[in-house]
Amino acid sequence: MSDALLEVEGLTVHFPIRKGVLQRQVGTVRAVDGIDFSLKRRETLSLVGESGCGKSTTGLALMGLVKATAGTVTFAGERIAGLRGSALRAFRRRVQIVFQDPFSSLNPRQRVRDIIRAPLDIHRVGTARERQKRVAELMERVGLRPDQADNFPHQFSGGQRQRIGIARALALKPEIIICDEPVSALDVSVQAQILNLLADLQRDLGVSYLFISHDLGVVEHISRRVAVMYLGKIVEIADRDALFARPTHPYTELLMKSAPSLDPRRRHVFSASSDVVPSATQKPSGCPFHPRCHLATEECKAADPALTPRDDGRLVACHHR
Amino acid sequence: MRMPKPLRNPSFVIGAAITLFIVGCAVLAPHVAPYGVEQMDMRNRFAGPSLEHLLGTDNFGRDLWSRMVFGARISLMIALISVGGAALIGTVVGLVSGYFGGWVDLVLGRITDIFLGFPAIILALAIVAVLGPGIVNVSLALIVVFWTEYARVVRGATLVLREQNYVQAARALGAGPLRIIFREILPNALGPIIVLASLGLGTAIIAESALSFLGFGLPPPAPTWGWTLSYGTRFMRDEPWLAIVSGAAIMITVLGFNLLGDGLRDLLDPRQLSRGRGERRKA
Amino acid sequence: QETIVVGTDVDAGTLDSRLTRDTTAYRVADLIYSGLVHITPQLEVVPDLAESWETPDPQTFIFKLRDGLKFSDGTPLTADDVVYTYTTLLNPDFNAPMRTLYTPIQSVEKVDDLTVKFSLDAPYAPLLSYLDLGIVPQELAEGGHDIATQPVGAGPMKLTSWNRGAEIALEANPEYWGGAPQIEKVTLKIIPDNSARAQAFEAGDLDVIQSPLSPQDISRLAGDDRFGNAIMPGLGVTYINFNTKDPLLSDPKMRQAFSMLVDQQTIVSDIYQDVDKVASSVLLPSSWAYSPDIKQPTFNIEGAVALFNELGWTDSNGDGILDKDGNKLTVTLATHSEDPNRVQTIEFLQTMFSQAGVDAKTQITDWPSFSTNYVQKSQHQIALLGWLNIVDPDRLLFSQLTTGGSTNWGGYSNPKVDELLQKGRSSLDQQERAAAYQEAAKILAEELPYFIVSYQGYQLFYDKELPTEVTATPRGYLRGLIGMEN
Amino acid sequence: MMTTPATMLADKKPVLAVEDLEIRIRGEHGSFSVVADMSLAVAAGETLCIVGESGCGKSMTALALLRLLPEAAEIAGGRVEINGRDVLKLGAHEVEDLRGEEIAMIFQEPLTALNPVMTIGLQIAEAVRQHRKVSASAAMAQAVETLKLVQMPDPERRARQYPHELSGGMRQRAMIALALACDPKIIVADEPTTALDVTIQAQILGLIADLQKRLGSAQILITHDLGVVAEVADRVIVMYAGRKVEEASVYDLFDHPIHPYTKGLMGAIPRGRASERLADIPGTVPPMWDLPKGCAFAPRCPGASARCLEERPLFEEKRPGHFAACWEHDDV
Amino acid sequence: MIAYLIRRLLLFIPMAMGMVVVTFGLLLIIPGDPASVLLGQEASPEAIERLRDSLGLNDPWYVRLWDYFASLLSGDLGTSIFQNQPVATIILGRLGATIELAIAALVIATVLGLAMGVVSAMRQGSIIDTITMIFAQLGVSMPVYWLSLLLMLAFAVQLGWLPAIGRGMPLPEAFWAAITGRPQALIESLSHLLLPALALSATPAAIISRLTRTSMLEMLREDFVRTAYAKGLRRPRVIIRHVLRNALLPVLSVIGLRFGMLLGGAVLTESIFAWPGLGQLTITAISQRDLPLIQGIVLTFALIFALVNLLVDLLYAAVDPRVRLG
Ligand SMILES: Nc1ncnc2c1ncn2[C@@H]1O[C@H](COP(=O)(O)OP(=O)(O)OP(=O)(O)O)[C@@H](O)[C@H]1O
Ligand SMILES: Nc1ncnc2c1ncn2[C@@H]1O[C@H](COP(=O)(O)OP(=O)(O)OP(=O)(O)O)[C@@H](O)[C@H]1O
Ligand SMILES: [Mg+2]
Ligand SMILES: [Mg+2]
């Protein structure tokens, strides 16, 4: 895709498992295992998937917060060499991140003013007075009163704190904001406020979001395109409407079937039986989903299906669909 | 109105009161001491407490109260220097070791182990023997003994803190290690350091007096509590007063610092920071 | 009760009589070994292994051993063992601590099995008082037996066990030429802390304790009628060593002035609780050389200040400290930290000095630092020290105060004194010797390379229930406790 | 008998009835009530859901039923009746006998709610032995049985494992087994699926529904997720700032929410492809120790009148079987 | 497991080497040397110099260090300059006494500390709690040597109940003697042990009691305790089976850490009570600048430190299934 702002190819992150006093490596966690996707300007791409499937790691790897084992990233046509080194620093100004936990992502010992100003200080943007002004601006932009600037994070509610995090991410006028589950720690009423704020910001500032979530409702609401991850792989990636209308990968299907309805008259009949859920440490051979898949065959055990395009433009990694 | 939180903590209040009293005496020593520290009166040795000599006199007939007050200066000075130095070194080592991890941590960890493995007293004795006695030298010896504790605690705290999202956030913003360590991590590790330091002040005072007791402390005529106690124990059978007063001075001061430290521990406990409203935890 | 338990302050380092260097070792070695002679509490030399001796000329001593002597293991003791003991002792490589005392010996030869001949380089009067050195069995020692830890001697007792750091147990030696002593067992318990040792004694854990003791314990124990005691002058002095090479102290007048600041009476009565006695000269009162007429300067602050003024030290700027040519009168008073009484003395002196307008600093470090790096390198100004075992005046004076003497740390030099001390050591006539020492002492009391602060006292406390008659010796030897004459 | 609206179950007798429960907390901000005027009732075979925002007092209510409130909290008034006995008046041992036997609880975070140094099997067996006079091995066998009941894969092996060795879903199953070990008549589940992934949540909800059908117990399920409510509830209580604001059958509630807070909640849930703005509720929940004089929701309520700010609305039946506390709603 | 042990012990080597080097360096710059101490005041400078030569003290430092390491490699700790005995023999002779004292103190501290901590946690805010915690505060504030002397004064001198100083038969031997019909040997050993052990245990007892209390209070707030109550368990059972067991974990590692410190703290106690252990030996060795002996002692302490830590880790793993050794 040529109009892509960000293009990710073969992104891979492996963590060594170290043990013992000498910290010898005894295994690898294949947290992210070669994923490709792209993100357009003003677009929201969601990453959904279950806990531990590598969503956050993907986000952190993009920010260079964890070292990518392999893969390339092209940003605005320019290749960020191997996701390492100094090119990353400049890249970071243009890509920012908002974390899930609004409590732990703000330093409890810093005033809100200092938290929001930190990126300006780090990148030496403007004079002291300009930074001051910018902080006030940003606070207003995310719906905080600038007179609260001298308060500490614990004096704010969860939603307000998430706003502080967003203000900080906005400070450097990034083109992409990675939102790592920004609302999953919030009550629905507050969650709605933040989702609205993110939508407003995109409309007004034209940022793109890489939106990480495990909540299909939220994903459906906010994204243009959706990538479904399972154990470090993207198993399906499609436009939102297409995906929700017709989930193709069996895992996508399972996710949707599991989401509670919001209609007591249309209850699901959930199965009480339990799956043995594999982890990134002990990945099954072949298609990682095969132990839980009702379509699984010998082929699935043997070969990992590639992400291949389907008629309607979506990409699916499944031998059978 | 309710009392401010620290004032409702008895440990803190008593500890702070004792500490303030001792520090006050030390600072104002020339004003609160009615006699000179070295003013001997051999005809009036081992006098009991009286209006003339609040705490009585010592083996040279010197006013014990005056000596205790001036002794407080020395004890506090040594305690402050040694705890300050140990905290500084230990904190830096702990931060660096915890933040960078890997081989840096491995090497610093081994070095810490080396000092940890030494029986404290051997190390201190040897160092004082090398450097000779003196406020700074005794303090240095105690620094060498005590820094490991800070290194350990700070390293532990750093290991936890560096995984905190706000540290990740700072890195995401492009902050360098120095900024992260000193702006993001250190302020949050300060709680345990302060607690440790105030407990450490007590330990340092005891350690200093033990060195004096073994003859490795500040030599007389410095009015150190340790020497007074060391003399005191010699006269203990017949003139127990000297040992009791000097021992009690040490104990009360240490008690003050310990209570203060405990109080601070309660007050600075991060679990006491209320979690905010309107959020939900997910595993 | 056939066992007595004695408290002592340190563990013996070695029990090889030639290598002993601590009080416990001396005391134990005295029981385990016998020497050619024995020194009585009155410091008289009496026969022990040697039955008799003669001095054909001032440089020759011939000793006749008793017949049928045996070591405690039953092997015979002969002239060979005596020769072996002294030859090894004199070998510089053997590193015997006391070798200097014996260096005038040129050779030791066996004349026959029961006769030994000592030949000297020069007449050396004190020698006899050093010949109580325990004789070790040559055969065992050369056969690789470790004499240091498993000593075998011909003394009244023998070692049964030695629990390092805790206790040394001895039992009667039936092979002793004088027969087995009355007491069958002696145990020495090691308790380093003086007060703790006194408390253990009071608690009944020990039957006997002796110097070193804390003065404050001594007066209490002396007043306790459960205990008998022997409190007598010792064989040591506590003295001030002036560094005569120090520019400030090179003038005897200065040393005199400083000496006048030493309030001996207070030190002795308040710090040493009258256990030690005020000293007046380098000669011990118990010594045959003593003369009451020789007197060091006595305490006199005004006199001292007057003397300082005379020497140009005045308080010209009114700060309470004497000065001269713009320099303050500053001295450093030093001692080692192990002995709390010395530390107290320094502390006291410091105050007295400053009352006289002397800016006195103190330097107190542990013994190895103090001795090796300080006093022995003559880096001190005024140091408080002590000498022990002064069984002969020579032992306190010759190496210490003759020009270039091996322990002349203050660098003192006076040809007249050198001559007198040499005479004192070479003459075999006690009268002559006394005269020489007295003359030297007179000079020293004026020139003051040493200012003797006190004569050390010796104390022994024992349980009155002890089965034997107790006789004490200022050296702290224990033969007087086991039913022998000391 | 009880006359509060909650007990108006035409046909069934409640096994658990709570009347005017008030819970107060003593703390930094003095003493204030976190739950007030709480009345509820459940009958056998019925599932009552309590929903509400974080901190509105749901867990406090649940814990009060077992008299397990944390130290800072105390029951300041009201009655809790289990099978006609007032739990609040029982002696310590009597309450202990009640717990696990009559009323059991499932906690939110199974990793912390299980003892980390004891095997799953032992923890369940311990509950069995507390209430039944059986041998240790029989209790263990019973534990394995219960694990089978909650469809724990490989129950014998799991019984010998420690909590940290299990996945989140399995831990929650163990937690449920623990609660079921002595066939309690009432099960209180405090956000049993909040910590779980959707696919696992679906399984656990399926399991809970399944078990209730088989065991016929009365069930109180606490959640903040209206989706879960829609899936499992028979009746629903909506709480706001420590009080009930609405109570109805699950159908009534979803069909015609009355209270503006309930409406706000429903509007705030993103659903469907609608990319337009969500109907959020402005503002934040007031702190419990500083509630406004009138209706606690008034400051955030789009339709609040002067009266709402002054006077606390009564909790009244607005439609048959549908109760709410709102001055401005007169829909009959 | 075996591999784990081996790796742990391998880690000890660099630590021990580091400690040897540090000790060596310290003693290199420390003023005073064994030769002059050994020969005493009256020795002539030449004699001292000769002895320095024969002791190798005049060799360059790297030669000495190298020699030391070389002999270490062949398993030789050297010979004490003063006692003329192999360092290993001397230390082994003393080690038992110190370990006996330290273990006794640790046992007292643990029993006392746990009991006090549990009681005061269970009665938080009560008079018992207050009194216990005042004791705990005093325990950590009191200089050990002061306490030692007070104890000795009270129990040995004034009351005469216990011997003031020294050590009886080594405890294992005394036990054997008691079994074979001489119980008085055991009584004597224990009566000697009691006072020093008590003095030495004050600080750790205080620390353990405070830690136990905090840890208990913390555990009491844990969710799983609530679960235990929710099962209907009785309070004592909850406290013992659920609270205490988990609360002991942090206490365990502190006990381990304290053991190391106890050995060091024994220096003062041992010299006051004339307990013939390593502590006393340490002071003597330093005051004599007996380098090989000091090195030996340092290495011994290091080894004990490492072993105790290892033991704590193993215990920890045994008690807490979450901890995996590997
Ligand atoms: N620093 C790390 N070291 C080792 N393993 C890691 C590390 N960070 C993450 N992992 C592992 O990588 C896998 C993916 O983790 P990640 O946090 O990316 O998942 P996620 O999809 O964000 O999950 P969640 O929804 O719980 O946030 C997990 O198995 C996790 O345990
Ligand atoms: N141990 C405690 N001490 C003091 N206050 C507490 C304690 N536990 C809870 N609270 C307070 O009591 C109120 C009600 O808490 P509760 O746990 O019942 O809320 P909840 O509705 O269960 O919330 P959540 O959905 O977050 O679990 C809250 O304001 C909370 O801050
Ligand atoms: Mg994540
Ligand atoms: Mg809750």
Side-chain angles (χ1 to χ4, degrees), chain C residues 35-37 61 63 86 102 105 118 127-133:
Chain C
L36 291 172
V37 305
F61 287 75
F63 289 89
Y86 282 96
Y102 303 88
I105 301 175
F118 284 65
L127 180 66
L128 262 186
S129 56
Y130 303 142
L131 293 183
D132 60 340
L133 178 84

Side-chain angles (χ1 to χ4, degrees), chain A residues 60-306:
Chain A
L60 295 177
L62 279 178
M63 296 296 305
L65 293 178
V66 303
K67 234 191 205 164
T69 312
T72 57
V73 172
T74 316
F75 181 72
E78 197 180 325
R79 209 168 129 171
I80 311 300
L83 279 175
R84 275 167 262 177
S86 59
L88 231 141
R89 233 177 105 85
F91 172 65
R92 271 188 187 151
R93 278 186 69 164
R94 305 169 71 177
V95 181
Q96 269 308 316
I97 188 160
V98 176
F99 291 96
Q100 164 175 4
D101 185 344
F103 192 81
S104 74
S105 56
L106 304 179
N107 189 334
R109 306 251 176 242
Q110 285 180 4
R111 295 175 193 282
V112 168
R113 173 193 311 291
D114 299 320
I115 293 174
I116 299 180
R117 212 181 57 182
L120 304 174
D121 290 346
I122 291 166
H123 292 275
R124 306 213 173 75
V125 179
T127 62
R129 175 167 303 184
E130 282 164 2
R131 291 179 199 171
Q132 205 67 14
K133 223 180 93 209
R134 179 99 175 106
V135 169
E137 246 172 57
L138 285 165
M139 288 187 73
E140 253 168 303
R141 185 68 204 78
V142 298
L144 293 168
R145 292 201 316 275
D147 61 288
Q148 294 170 304
D150 283 324
N151 292 356
F152 286 95
H154 71 265
Q155 293 166 300
F156 292 87
S157 73
Q160 287 172 319
R161 270 178 288 187
Q162 205 53 296
R163 290 170 196 267
I164 298 170
I166 294 172
R168 172 174 61 187
L170 285 176
L172 293 172
K173 301 186 181 152
E175 287 153 77
I176 298 175
I177 297 181
I178 297 170
C179 302
D180 189 357
E181 314 218 23
V183 296
S184 53
L186 304 176
D187 273 316
V188 262
S189 64
V190 185
Q191 167 181 313
Q193 295 169 1
I194 300 296
L195 290 177
N196 287 341
L197 172 64
L198 289 174
D200 294 347
L201 292 174
Q202 187 166 56
R203 190 189 61 226
D204 299 346
L205 307 174
V207 284
S208 309
Y209 294 126
L210 178 64
F211 194 94
I212 295 172
S213 177
H214 64 271
D215 185 330
L216 287 176
V218 171
V219 166
E220 190 176 6
H221 175 77
I222 200 161
S223 9
R224 163 116 42 99
R225 281 188 310 128
V226 179
V228 181
M229 279 186 81
Y230 189 79
L231 285 188
K233 298 251 183 208
I234 291 181
V235 293
E236 182 163 3
I237 182 164
D239 282 347
R240 181 220 16 219
D241 294 338
L243 186 92
F244 280 90
R246 206 160 44 78
T248 304
H249 194 280
Y251 176 62
T252 317
E253 199 179 34
L254 174 68
L255 272 186
M256 292 196 184
K257 275 207 313 224
S258 302
S261 67
L262 271 163
D263 186 348
R265 292 178 213 284
R266 294 221 321 254
R267 291 191 177 171
H268 294 82
V269 182
F270 293 134
S271 148
S273 70
S274 81
D275 281 340
V276 177
V277 186
S279 74
T281 353
Q282 285 152 337
K283 242 185 203 174
S285 63
C287 171
F289 188 61
H290 84 254
R292 299 172 73 184
C293 184
H294 63 280
L295 298 176
T297 58
E298 283 306 314
E299 184 187 7
C300 301
K301 273 187 209 163
D304 192 4

Side-chain angles (χ1 to χ4, degrees), chain A residues 13-17 29-32 48-60 66 100 180-181 212-214 229 231-232 279-281, chain B residues 163 168 282-283, chain D residues 197:
Chain A
V13 183
H14 289 179
F15 294 110
I17 305 175
V29 182
R30 295 156 70 184
V32 177
V48 266
E50 280 173 298
S51 186
C53 70
K55 309 182 294 290
S56 298
T57 308
T58 306
L60 295 177
V66 303
Q100 164 175 4
D180 189 357
E181 314 218 23
I212 295 172
S213 177
H214 64 271
M229 279 186 81
L231 285 188
S279 74
T281 353
Chain B
E163 299 303 327
Q168 293 277 24
K282 183 175 173 300
Chain D
D197 274 316

Side-chain angles (χ1 to χ4, degrees), chain D residues 33-36 53 55-57 239-243 245 285-286 288 291 296-297:
Chain D
S33 63
V34 282
V35 173
E53 238 155 318
C56 71
M239 282 181 79
Y240 187 78
R243 287 171 191 273
V245 293
V285 189
M288 286 286 198
L291 291 180
F297 187 62

